[in-house]
Amino acid sequence: MDSNLSSSLALAPIGDIDSYMKVVNKLPVLEEDDEIALAKRLRDYNDIEAARKLVLSHLRLVVSIARSYLGYGLPLSDLIQEGNIGLMKAVKHFDPDVGSRLAPFAVHWIKAEIHDYVIKNWRMVKIATTKAQRKLFFNLRKSKKRVGWFTQKEMKDVADNLGVDISDVAEMESRLSGTDVGFNIEDDDTNNDRYMPVVVSPNTYLEDENSNFAKNIEILESQNFELSKLKQALDCLDERSRHIIEERWLKDNKATLQDLAKKYNVSIERVRQLENLALAKIKDFVLKGS
């Protein structure tokens, strides 16, 4: 097979995953001296060909790591692609003078990209957002020694081992045990297998507030009544007081006390007094009429 074709296939696991594996396993593994020389060419001269060789020689490492995440039900090809992105980032940041080989340095970058992909795609709703939750997501199932919920002692042991709170363990266990349910599941979407649990969509038990016509009419009539009482109360005020209330409370662009003081040629304190007196009259009128 042509080397350039092999390289393109190796970087993008599309189609038959077995064919991809065969291509990756045929790629040569670099000796330490060659690896250091290529890394220096990349660092010092930005040699893209050197970067390509470094990436290709470590693709089987990505496959090995990606396989360990198959338990999350995501396609192996997608896991590999995400891991390859992490590998390329590792190659970019690798310093050959530190004295370490690329493989152990790249493991962190590969896992980080796969972790992000798993968390974003394992469920429709993101299940882990904080650092503690991310740590629990990837370690909780490993900590379980039996089927069923954790006991209080088991939760404490897990919390102590991972350096998180017991409440975080309980919350993550609950999240992992749940499933995504569509809000509105049609009959065709449900499983008719009598051995499968019946999935009840939220729209069958959540109240639609807009469907309560009697309540909606009651609210509308109450609002109309309050508006009517407010209009009557405003009509009982003198022209200046009514204008002050309208400018201070009913307009989108509300006037300041200083604006009204300048308009009526009075002090700011006087405008405040007129406003308070008008509000007291409105409140008294509404309460008496209610």
Side-chain angles (χ1 to χ4, degrees), residues 45-233:
Y45 305 105
N46 196 27
D47 190 331
I48 302 303
E49 179 61 22
R52 188 182 70 87
K53 290 180 178 179
L54 287 170
V55 170
L56 291 176
S57 66
H58 288 81
L59 288 178
R60 65 185 66 191
L61 172 64
V62 175
V63 172
S64 175
I65 295 174
R67 282 183 176 278
S68 65
Y69 292 89
L70 283 175
Y72 295 98
L74 297 170
L76 178 59
S77 59
D78 291 349
L79 295 170
I80 291 173
Q81 287 195 58
E82 296 300 319
N84 286 347
I85 293 173
L87 173 59
M88 287 186 278
K89 290 181 178 180
V91 168
K92 180 180 178 181
H93 292 87
F94 180 60
D95 184 356
D97 293 334
V98 172
S100 172
R101 294 294 300 269
L102 175 58
F105 175 79
V107 168
H108 165 77
W109 293 87
I110 296 168
K111 286 187 175 181
E113 290 297 322
I114 295 177
H115 281 189
D116 286 342
Y117 173 76
V118 171
I119 288 174
K120 289 176 182 177
N121 294 276
W122 191 62
R123 291 274 177 82
M124 186 181 299
V125 178
K126 196 169 183 180
I127 197 169
T129 53
T130 67
K131 185 177 180 180
Q133 289 172 350
R134 290 169 67 91
K135 185 189 298 185
L136 278 167
F137 179 82
F138 290 103
N139 288 279
L140 199 58
R141 290 196 296 183
K142 297 177 184 177
S143 303
K144 283 211 170 191
K145 299 177 181 178
R146 59 179 176 79
V147 177
W149 291 85
F150 276 126
T151 64
Q152 192 68 21
K153 182 180 182 306
E154 287 172 334
M155 281 196 291
K156 185 179 185 307
D157 291 341
V158 171
D160 291 341
N161 290 335
L162 298 179
V164 298
D165 294 333
I166 293 181
S167 59
D168 292 327
V169 177
E171 182 180 357
M172 183 54 65
E173 183 180 26
S174 176
R175 291 187 183 188
L176 290 172
S177 300
T179 57
D180 290 331
V181 177
F183 179 78
N184 186 6
I185 301 177
E186 302 295 338
D187 291 338
D188 293 341
D189 296 333
T190 58
N191 193 317
N192 295 323
D193 190 336
R194 61 192 181 93
Y195 297 105
M196 294 293 290
V198 177
V199 178
V200 182
S201 59
N203 73 317
T204 61
Y205 57 81
L206 292 180
E207 179 185 1
D208 181 3
E209 296 181 358
N210 295 324
S211 66
N212 193 336
F213 297 107
K215 183 178 180 181
N216 292 339
I217 292 174
E218 180 184 346
I219 293 173
L220 181 61
E221 288 184 346
S222 176
Q223 291 173 343
N224 290 336
F225 175 76
E226 291 173 355
L227 288 173
S228 174
K229 296 298 294 183
L230 177 60
K231 185 177 184 304
Q232 294 175 31

